[in-house]
PDB file of all heavy atoms in Angstrom:
ATOM      1  N   GLY A 120     -89.744  83.125  81.885  1.00  0.00           N
ATOM      2  CA  GLY A 120     -89.614  82.386  83.135  1.00  0.00           C
ATOM      3  C   GLY A 120     -90.881  82.329  83.959  1.00  0.00           C
ATOM      4  O   GLY A 120     -90.840  82.119  85.180  1.00  0.00           O
ATOM      5  N   LEU A 121     -92.027  82.500  83.286  1.00  0.00           N
ATOM      6  CA  LEU A 121     -93.295  82.647  84.010  1.00  0.00           C
ATOM      7  C   LEU A 121     -93.927  81.312  84.408  1.00  0.00           C
ATOM      8  O   LEU A 121     -94.685  81.240  85.370  1.00  0.00           O
ATOM      9  CB  LEU A 121     -94.272  83.433  83.132  1.00  0.00           C
ATOM     10  CG  LEU A 121     -95.498  84.052  83.775  1.00  0.00           C
ATOM     11  CD1 LEU A 121     -95.111  85.057  84.858  1.00  0.00           C
ATOM     12  CD2 LEU A 121     -96.353  84.738  82.707  1.00  0.00           C
ATOM     13  N   PHE A 122     -93.615  80.241  83.678  1.00  0.00           N
ATOM     14  CA  PHE A 122     -94.362  78.992  83.830  1.00  0.00           C
ATOM     15  C   PHE A 122     -93.493  77.874  84.421  1.00  0.00           C
ATOM     16  O   PHE A 122     -92.313  77.742  84.103  1.00  0.00           O
ATOM     17  CB  PHE A 122     -94.928  78.541  82.490  1.00  0.00           C
ATOM     18  CG  PHE A 122     -95.888  79.535  81.895  1.00  0.00           C
ATOM     19  CD1 PHE A 122     -95.475  80.382  80.873  1.00  0.00           C
ATOM     20  CD2 PHE A 122     -97.173  79.656  82.386  1.00  0.00           C
ATOM     21  CE1 PHE A 122     -96.350  81.319  80.339  1.00  0.00           C
ATOM     22  CE2 PHE A 122     -98.061  80.585  81.861  1.00  0.00           C
ATOM     23  CZ  PHE A 122     -97.652  81.423  80.841  1.00  0.00           C
ATOM     24  N   ASP A 123     -94.124  77.065  85.260  1.00  0.00           N
ATOM     25  CA  ASP A 123     -93.475  75.864  85.799  1.00  0.00           C
ATOM     26  C   ASP A 123     -93.483  74.738  84.774  1.00  0.00           C
ATOM     27  O   ASP A 123     -92.591  73.879  84.782  1.00  0.00           O
ATOM     28  CB  ASP A 123     -94.202  75.385  87.057  1.00  0.00           C
ATOM     29  CG  ASP A 123     -94.237  76.435  88.146  1.00  0.00           C
ATOM     30  OD1 ASP A 123     -93.167  76.939  88.496  1.00  0.00           O
ATOM     31  OD2 ASP A 123     -95.350  76.768  88.606  1.00  0.00           O
ATOM     32  N   ALA A 124     -94.492  74.736  83.926  1.00  0.00           N
ATOM     33  CA  ALA A 124     -94.629  73.670  82.924  1.00  0.00           C
ATOM     34  C   ALA A 124     -95.397  74.196  81.716  1.00  0.00           C
ATOM     35  O   ALA A 124     -96.227  75.109  81.829  1.00  0.00           O
ATOM     36  CB  ALA A 124     -95.333  72.456  83.512  1.00  0.00           C
ATOM     37  N   VAL A 125     -95.114  73.593  80.568  1.00  0.00           N
ATOM     38  CA  VAL A 125     -95.825  73.874  79.313  1.00  0.00           C
ATOM     39  C   VAL A 125     -96.219  72.537  78.719  1.00  0.00           C
ATOM     40  O   VAL A 125     -95.435  71.575  78.759  1.00  0.00           O
ATOM     41  CB  VAL A 125     -94.931  74.659  78.328  1.00  0.00           C
ATOM     42  CG1 VAL A 125     -95.676  74.892  77.002  1.00  0.00           C
ATOM     43  CG2 VAL A 125     -94.480  75.985  78.922  1.00  0.00           C
ATOM     44  N   VAL A 126     -97.435  72.459  78.176  1.00  0.00           N
ATOM     45  CA  VAL A 126     -97.883  71.235  77.511  1.00  0.00           C
ATOM     46  C   VAL A 126     -98.402  71.567  76.119  1.00  0.00           C
ATOM     47  O   VAL A 126     -98.908  72.671  75.862  1.00  0.00           O
ATOM     48  CB  VAL A 126     -98.982  70.492  78.322  1.00  0.00           C
ATOM     49  CG1 VAL A 126     -98.446  70.020  79.666  1.00  0.00           C
ATOM     50  CG2 VAL A 126    -100.222  71.351  78.511  1.00  0.00           C
ATOM     51  N   ALA A 127     -98.270  70.595  75.224  1.00  0.00           N
ATOM     52  CA  ALA A 127     -98.808  70.701  73.872  1.00  0.00           C
ATOM     53  C   ALA A 127     -99.248  69.305  73.449  1.00  0.00           C
ATOM     54  O   ALA A 127     -98.423  68.393  73.380  1.00  0.00           O
ATOM     55  CB  ALA A 127     -97.771  71.253  72.907  1.00  0.00           C
ATOM     56  N   PHE A 128    -100.541  69.144  73.197  1.00  0.00           N
ATOM     57  CA  PHE A 128    -101.080  67.822  72.866  1.00  0.00           C
ATOM     58  C   PHE A 128    -101.654  67.847  71.449  1.00  0.00           C
ATOM     59  O   PHE A 128    -102.595  68.596  71.169  1.00  0.00           O
ATOM     60  CB  PHE A 128    -102.168  67.411  73.866  1.00  0.00           C
ATOM     61  CG  PHE A 128    -102.539  65.956  73.786  1.00  0.00           C
ATOM     62  CD1 PHE A 128    -102.066  65.045  74.721  1.00  0.00           C
ATOM     63  CD2 PHE A 128    -103.338  65.473  72.754  1.00  0.00           C
ATOM     64  CE1 PHE A 128    -102.399  63.697  74.642  1.00  0.00           C
ATOM     65  CE2 PHE A 128    -103.666  64.132  72.665  1.00  0.00           C
ATOM     66  CZ  PHE A 128    -103.200  63.241  73.610  1.00  0.00           C
ATOM     67  N   GLU A 129    -101.109  67.029  70.559  1.00  0.00           N
ATOM     68  CA  GLU A 129    -101.622  66.847  69.192  1.00  0.00           C
ATOM     69  C   GLU A 129    -101.909  68.185  68.504  1.00  0.00           C
ATOM     70  O   GLU A 129    -102.989  68.383  67.934  1.00  0.00           O
ATOM     71  CB  GLU A 129    -102.878  65.982  69.209  1.00  0.00           C
ATOM     72  CG  GLU A 129    -102.625  64.517  69.496  1.00  0.00           C
ATOM     73  CD  GLU A 129    -102.110  63.734  68.285  1.00  0.00           C
ATOM     74  OE1 GLU A 129    -101.817  64.365  67.261  1.00  0.00           O
ATOM     75  OE2 GLU A 129    -102.002  62.512  68.392  1.00  0.00           O
ATOM     76  N   THR A 130    -100.936  69.087  68.519  1.00  0.00           N
ATOM     77  CA  THR A 130    -101.136  70.383  67.874  1.00  0.00           C
ATOM     78  C   THR A 130     -99.944  70.808  67.032  1.00  0.00           C
ATOM     79  O   THR A 130    -100.112  71.541  66.062  1.00  0.00           O
ATOM     80  CB  THR A 130    -101.452  71.463  68.922  1.00  0.00           C
ATOM     81  OG1 THR A 130    -101.647  72.719  68.281  1.00  0.00           O
ATOM     82  CG2 THR A 130    -100.318  71.611  69.941  1.00  0.00           C
ATOM     83  N   LEU A 131     -98.740  70.346  67.355  1.00  0.00           N
ATOM     84  CA  LEU A 131     -97.548  70.854  66.695  1.00  0.00           C
ATOM     85  C   LEU A 131     -97.254  70.175  65.363  1.00  0.00           C
ATOM     86  O   LEU A 131     -96.337  70.600  64.648  1.00  0.00           O
ATOM     87  CB  LEU A 131     -96.337  70.697  67.617  1.00  0.00           C
ATOM     88  CG  LEU A 131     -96.426  71.406  68.974  1.00  0.00           C
ATOM     89  CD1 LEU A 131     -95.121  71.236  69.744  1.00  0.00           C
ATOM     90  CD2 LEU A 131     -96.767  72.870  68.808  1.00  0.00           C
ATOM     91  N   HIS A 132     -98.023  69.173  64.972  1.00  0.00           N
ATOM     92  CA  HIS A 132     -97.745  68.472  63.722  1.00  0.00           C
ATOM     93  C   HIS A 132     -98.159  69.264  62.487  1.00  0.00           C
ATOM     94  O   HIS A 132     -98.097  68.760  61.368  1.00  0.00           O
ATOM     95  CB  HIS A 132     -98.434  67.090  63.707  1.00  0.00           C
ATOM     96  CG  HIS A 132     -99.900  67.147  63.944  1.00  0.00           C
ATOM     97  ND1 HIS A 132    -100.456  66.957  65.191  1.00  0.00           N
ATOM     98  CD2 HIS A 132    -100.940  67.355  63.101  1.00  0.00           C
ATOM     99  CE1 HIS A 132    -101.770  67.047  65.106  1.00  0.00           C
ATOM    100  NE2 HIS A 132    -102.091  67.289  63.843  1.00  0.00           N
ATOM    101  N   HIS A 133     -98.551  70.518  62.695  1.00  0.00           N
ATOM    102  CA  HIS A 133     -98.835  71.402  61.557  1.00  0.00           C
ATOM    103  C   HIS A 133     -97.651  72.304  61.233  1.00  0.00           C
ATOM    104  O   HIS A 133     -97.738  73.115  60.304  1.00  0.00           O
ATOM    105  CB  HIS A 133    -100.069  72.272  61.861  1.00  0.00           C
ATOM    106  CG  HIS A 133    -101.280  71.487  62.223  1.00  0.00           C
ATOM    107  ND1 HIS A 133    -101.867  71.540  63.484  1.00  0.00           N
ATOM    108  CD2 HIS A 133    -102.017  70.598  61.515  1.00  0.00           C
ATOM    109  CE1 HIS A 133    -102.912  70.741  63.518  1.00  0.00           C
ATOM    110  NE2 HIS A 133    -103.031  70.148  62.341  1.00  0.00           N
ATOM    111  N   LEU A 134     -96.567  72.192  61.984  1.00  0.00           N
ATOM    112  CA  LEU A 134     -95.422  73.102  61.842  1.00  0.00           C
ATOM    113  C   LEU A 134     -94.242  72.397  61.182  1.00  0.00           C
ATOM    114  O   LEU A 134     -94.096  71.178  61.269  1.00  0.00           O
ATOM    115  CB  LEU A 134     -94.993  73.628  63.209  1.00  0.00           C
ATOM    116  CG  LEU A 134     -96.057  74.331  64.054  1.00  0.00           C
ATOM    117  CD1 LEU A 134     -95.448  74.771  65.386  1.00  0.00           C
ATOM    118  CD2 LEU A 134     -96.646  75.527  63.319  1.00  0.00           C
ATOM    119  N   SER A 135     -93.381  73.196  60.562  1.00  0.00           N
ATOM    120  CA  SER A 135     -92.140  72.668  59.998  1.00  0.00           C
ATOM    121  C   SER A 135     -91.089  72.515  61.095  1.00  0.00           C
ATOM    122  O   SER A 135     -91.258  73.010  62.220  1.00  0.00           O
ATOM    123  CB  SER A 135     -91.620  73.620  58.923  1.00  0.00           C
ATOM    124  OG  SER A 135     -91.166  74.841  59.509  1.00  0.00           O
ATOM    125  N   GLY A 136     -89.985  71.870  60.761  1.00  0.00           N
ATOM    126  CA  GLY A 136     -88.909  71.728  61.725  1.00  0.00           C
ATOM    127  C   GLY A 136     -88.361  73.067  62.175  1.00  0.00           C
ATOM    128  O   GLY A 136     -88.095  73.270  63.370  1.00  0.00           O
TER     129      GLY A 136
END
Side-chain angles (χ1 to χ4, degrees):
L121 197 60
F122 299 102
D123 301 306
V125 178
V126 297
F128 194 103
E129 287 281 8
T130 180
L131 301 184
H132 56 264
H133 305 115
L134 304 179
S135 69

